[in-house]
Amino acid sequence: NSGPSSSKNRADLVDFAPQAEPFIAKSKKTTQRIDDSATSPQKILLCGWRHEWDLNPVRLRARFLDVSGGLSAGSSVTCLNSKPPDEMDELVTMESVGFVKAEDGDGWTLEGTSVRLRHFQGDPASYNAVAPLLAKEVFDTAICLGSVVGKNLKPASRDSRILAMFLI
């Protein structure tokens, strides 16, 4: 049994509350575990690429700030996409975007943040392309986008790519 069944009958809602209590309690435990992990560095994997980031790179900076907001010092966001490394470097180090190459050469940093942006070139929907990265890194969270560098895919194709990423 995966939980109480739902009903559109308002009178049934009164009976539903006691059945829901164990699921609510379990949810609170899960939320607490997630909150506790916020104090240690997190590794976020951002799979895919949005065409809008090429047109307006400041939007990539905004997405980085959204994703990295609240992460502790030492955390990282690794972009996994087919953009060549030199193009990624050129894009993120534009004056309007504001990233600077990390002192150790491993990615970029953004003033005012303690989270590093990194890049790995490869198709996130291809196991063979992703395997080398996953062999050397363990990620806490993956954000999967169905869009691809330089291509305008149909919604069904983007959905298929996301499902393929989930299987990897």
Side-chain angles (χ1 to χ4, degrees), residues 10-27:
R10 245 175 131 50
D12 291 341
L13 294 179
V14 175
D15 295 331
F16 176 76
Q19 294 174 353
E21 287 176 12
F23 298 99
I24 293 169
K26 182 178 179 184
S27 173

Side-chain angles (χ1 to χ4, degrees), residues 78-93:
T78 300
C79 296
L80 169 60
N81 56 59
S82 59
K83 185 167 274 306
D86 58 328
E87 288 182 24
M88 184 71 173
D89 184 65
E90 185 179 324
L91 186 94
V92 301
T93 57

Side-chain angles (χ1 to χ4, degrees), residues 85-161:
D86 58 328
E87 288 182 24
M88 184 71 173
D89 184 65
E90 185 179 324
L91 186 94
V92 301
T93 57
M94 292 174 63
E95 187 175 336
S96 62
V97 181
F99 285 93
V100 294
K101 196 74 171 166
E103 289 183 17
D104 62 5
D106 182 25
W108 305 268
T109 58
L110 184 62
E111 187 177 339
T113 69
S114 58
V115 178
R116 184 176 296 218
L117 177 67
R118 298 172 62 225
H119 177 254
F120 185 87
Q121 184 181 11
D123 180 358
S126 166
Y127 176 80
N128 290 335
V130 175
L133 176 62
L134 297 181
K136 68 179 188 172
E137 296 277 348
V138 175
F139 293 93
D140 300 291
T141 303
I143 301 169
C144 299
L145 307 173
S147 45
V148 180
V149 173
K151 295 183 181 174
N152 186 12
L153 300 177
K154 294 180 181 178
S157 295
R158 292 192 305 261
D159 291 347
S160 294
R161 290 184 56 75

Side-chain angles (χ1 to χ4, degrees), residues 34 36-44 70-77 115 138-141:
I34 291 169
D36 290 346
S37 69
T39 60
S40 61
Q42 299 290 298
K43 291 185 176 184
I44 310 296
L71 295 178
S72 62
S75 296
S76 64
V77 176
V115 178
V138 175
F139 293 93
D140 300 291
T141 303

Side-chain angles (χ1 to χ4, degrees), residues 44 46 61-71 76-77 115 143:
I44 310 296
L46 177 58
R61 174 193 167 109
R63 179 59 56 222
F64 172 80
L65 291 171
D66 286 344
V67 170
S68 65
L71 295 178
S76 64
V77 176
V115 178
I143 301 169

